Amino acid sequence: MINLEQFEVWFVTGSQHLYGPETLEQVTDHSQAIARALNWSDAIPVTVVFKPVLTTPDAVHQLCLEANAARTCVGLITWMHTFSPAKMWIAGLRALQKPFVHLHTQFNRDIPWATIDMDFMNLNQSAHGDREFGFIGSRMRLERKVVVGHWQDEDVQSSLGVWARAACAWHDAQGARFARFGDNMREVAVTEGDKVAAQMQLGYSVNGYGVGDLVRVVNAVSDAEIDQLVQEYQDQYVVAPSLRAGGEQQTALRDGARIEAGLRHFLEQGGFKGFTTTFEDLHGLAQLPGLGPQRLMAEGYGFAAEGDWKTAALVRAMKVMSAGLDGGTSFMEDYTYHLNHDGPRVLGAHMLEICPTIAADKPSLEVHPLGIGGKAAPVRLVFDSQTGPAINASVVEMGNHLRMIVNLVGVVPADEPLPRLPVARAVWIPQPDLKTAAAAWIYAGGAHHTGFSLALTAEHLADFAEMAGMEFLLIDQDTRLSAFKKELRWNDLYYHLARGL
Ligand code: MN
């Protein structure tokens, strides 16, 4: 399980010596109060650490170098209580390798109309001090989030919390390892890509392993460990009668448990944060892994099928961002449509591998034949998704840059029970409507695989995409195809030229 409290965000205030020690003491007091409030805020899942007020170029530079080296620091919150001449920040910001958010706030919420004097004016200078700092960020073409409002406001703390979650996911990706069992599903385009370029830009590595390496670990799993897993299944799920002790398909369940345990051992031993499988490369495994990936996703691992490593890494990032939030996060695929004029919608599922964190009720553990892969009938958890607002996200490689596409959707109940559908599923209505959303998604080249989440919002993914230097495209209530197509053309040009900026 992922714990975000272990991570720190440093609260950094800029000022200068012009105002004398008394004013700087007040600046320090105020900054400490804000840092303390943000640290206590339920909206911010990380530890917010106050850092001494910065008044010289050397101090700024030193702080940025320390942030780079600090293993638990995921980023900085910057704020200019007073004016802080921004040439002081150039060396530090040039060296800074962690994300930062610019909090444009003021210690005093209200202007004290009756008593305001020049002392108040000289202390509460964020309105112009933060603009000087903002200029250098833009002049240096630095990606950062700007959050505006009083620091005690719920929406300000919420926006900082969203950014902190994205910063944790970005931190988590640096040096992360993903295992790819087998290669890509043959001839599939969108799941391929340049793993070297991805590692240079996104920080994680993807390496292939022969399925035989996994089979060796799977075969070494002890009967006692399988017994223990089977007991867990009985406690957590509705287990189909044929899978219970003495049932005619108990072997299938034990084979599924063996694969799950083997996968977990392999991932733990190699320090992996996610993995992919492919049904075209299962030699030596009794079944296509279904239950195993489902339960490992629920533990926080990234996963995608058919060798889709970009989606596996995206699902992991979304797992980190959503740690501790209500609503689940899963690997997903737009599977089939309901094109009824009254309410067109999408049925999302996969062959097996949907994460039970999105389940509305206790999942049902079942075994059914699978028409693909030529293996024994695999065990899987079957359930309906929770309903409510959700997002689908995809990362694709456009040749010269990475693109993230996010669509807001509303998950709804199925019109009727689905007694013959033996997989976990979600039914959703995309914003602004299925026709526009699907056309926009297809114009953008969005994949058939996605990271799906009832816990995250577009803001989480947008913040993450900016940290990662990815193009970010949102399909929501306001999307109009004519404007969206222009955005695609303009962005293509931007990402081509941006290398020279
Ligand atoms: Mn697929």
Side-chain angles (χ1 to χ4, degrees):
M1 290 295 171
I2 299 156
N3 170 21
L4 303 186
E5 279 174 29
Q6 62 180 308
F7 296 120
E8 293 178 357
V9 165
W10 291 1
F11 189 86
V12 176
T13 309
S15 188
Q16 60 177 332
H17 281 294
L18 190 67
Y19 314 106
E22 221 170 283
T23 302
L24 284 177
E25 266 169 44
Q26 272 179 298
V27 169
T28 296
D29 288 348
H30 292 171
S31 299
Q32 277 173 327
I34 296 177
R36 204 162 40 234
L38 299 181
N39 187 41
W40 285 343
S41 169
D42 289 339
I44 300 172
V46 298
T47 305
V48 179
V49 178
F50 166 80
K51 290 287 163 183
V53 174
L54 302 174
T55 54
T56 66
D58 280 350
V60 170
H61 191 215
Q62 187 57 33
L63 183 282
C64 291
L65 295 180
E66 282 168 20
N68 288 346
R71 292 183 72 86
T72 52
C73 173
V74 300
L76 310 182
I77 301 175
T78 56
W79 173 54
M80 307 303 123
H81 191 339
T82 59
F83 202 77
S84 179
K87 288 202 285 188
M88 294 195 333
W89 286 81
I90 293 174
L93 290 177
R94 198 174 49 196
L96 184 66
Q97 287 166 344
K98 303 237 163 135
F100 72 99
V101 56
H102 182 182
L103 174 60
H104 184 45
T105 191
Q106 180 170 286
F107 185 72
N108 278 68
R109 194 190 65 181
D110 299 337
I111 291 177
W113 303 104
T115 58
I116 187 166
D117 56 13
M118 279 319 285
D119 285 345
F120 182 94
M121 296 282 274
N122 285 333
L123 181 62
N124 293 281
Q125 292 187 342
S126 320
H128 60 281
D130 270 332
R131 286 168 204 254
E132 166 73 356
F133 181 73
F135 167 73
I136 207 64
S138 293
R139 176 67 180 81
M140 293 174 75
R141 309 297 199 273
L142 298 175
E143 293 288 359
R144 78 281 191 199
K145 184 179 195 178
V146 179
V147 176
V148 182
H150 193 251
W151 50 279
Q152 287 173 318
D153 288 352
E154 215 171 284
D155 65 327
V156 167
Q157 295 187 359
S158 157
S159 217
L160 290 172
V162 166
W163 173 86
R165 286 178 176 279
C168 288
W170 177 247
H171 184 81
D172 179 78
Q174 307 313 304
R177 293 156 52 79
F178 289 86
R180 204 168 181 230
F181 298 113
D183 194 72
N184 200 52
M185 179 177 165
R186 286 186 275 280
E187 302 287 6
V188 175
V190 77
T191 49
E192 289 279 15
D194 185 339
K195 297 193 278 293
V196 176
Q199 187 170 347
M200 288 164 60
Q201 185 177 341
L202 305 176
Y204 64 76
S205 66
V206 180
N207 283 294
Y209 294 86
V211 74
D213 294 337
L214 173 61
V215 167
R216 190 165 37 82
V217 182
V218 166
N219 287 344
V221 172
S222 71
D223 283 342
E225 190 173 2
I226 294 171
D227 291 343
Q228 199 188 327
L229 276 177
V230 168
Q231 186 58 50
E232 260 183 57
Y233 301 161
Q234 272 154 11
D235 295 343
Q236 292 179 23
Y237 313 121
V238 178
V239 179
S242 67
L243 295 176
R244 294 184 200 145
E248 72 270 21
Q249 290 176 305
Q250 238 249 324
T251 311
L253 185 66
R254 294 186 67 83
D255 285 345
R258 175 180 289 285
I259 291 170
E260 176 188 328
L263 275 168
R264 186 177 291 106
H265 290 316
F266 192 101
L267 297 172
E268 283 173 357
Q269 283 160 15
F272 295 104
K273 290 177 172 171
F275 65 107
T276 67
T277 57
T278 169
F279 64 87
E280 287 176 333
D281 193 351
L282 297 174
H283 191 75
L285 289 177
Q287 317 167 355
L288 172 66
L291 177 62
Q294 288 185 296
R295 285 170 47 86
L296 288 161
M297 259 190 281
E299 289 171 22
Y301 286 100
F303 171 82
E306 290 114 36
D308 187 354
W309 52 274
K310 290 189 294 297
T311 303
L314 174 64
V315 169
R316 166 66 185 188
M318 292 170 76
K319 288 284 182 187
V320 174
M321 280 187 260
S322 62
L325 296 178
D326 290 337
T329 296
S330 178
F331 169 60
M332 188 56 77
E333 180 169 295
D334 291 76
Y335 220 104
T336 201
Y337 284 145
H338 185 61
L339 289 179
N340 188 297
H341 290 175
D342 290 339
R345 60 200 78 171
V346 181
L347 190 147
H350 203 256
M351 286 190 287
L352 307 168
E353 315 92 332
I354 299 298
C355 178
T357 56
I358 70 166
D361 300 304
K362 200 179 213 187
S364 167
L365 185 53
E366 304 174 15
V367 61
H368 301 277
L370 189 68
I372 284 173
K375 291 284 168 177
V379 285
R380 80 288 302 271
L381 295 167
V382 180
F383 53 85
D384 290 307
S385 164
Q386 300 157 42
T387 55
I391 56 167
N392 268 313
S394 169
V395 170
V396 294
E397 201 178 284
M398 296 306 293
N400 61 345
H401 71 282
L402 292 165
R403 166 178 288 169
M404 181 186 285
I405 306 122
V406 170
N407 185 200
L408 303 190
V409 304
V411 186
V412 295
D415 291 3
E416 295 172 36
L418 303 155
R420 290 174 56 82
L421 186 67
V423 289
R425 61 271 175 158
V427 178
W428 64 77
I429 301 171
Q431 288 189 17
D433 57 76
L434 190 148
K435 278 185 184 229
T436 308
W441 190 275
I442 287 168
Y443 281 128
H448 55 287
H449 288 163
T450 58
F452 168 87
S453 180
L454 289 133
L456 298 173
T457 63
E459 190 182 353
H460 292 99
L461 277 292
D463 287 357
F464 181 80
E466 284 198 351
M467 290 169 196
M470 280 186 211
E471 178 187 3
F472 179 78
L473 295 166
L474 178 62
I475 303 169
D476 68 358
Q477 207 53 52
D478 298 326
T479 296
R480 298 292 175 268
L481 280 179
S482 57
F484 190 81
K485 287 167 82 170
K486 284 179 205 150
E487 187 180 356
L488 289 175
R489 294 197 184 101
W490 294 336
N491 282 4
D492 244 351
L493 194 60
Y494 167 78
Y495 282 94
H496 184 68
L497 297 174
R499 291 163 184 235
L501 287 176

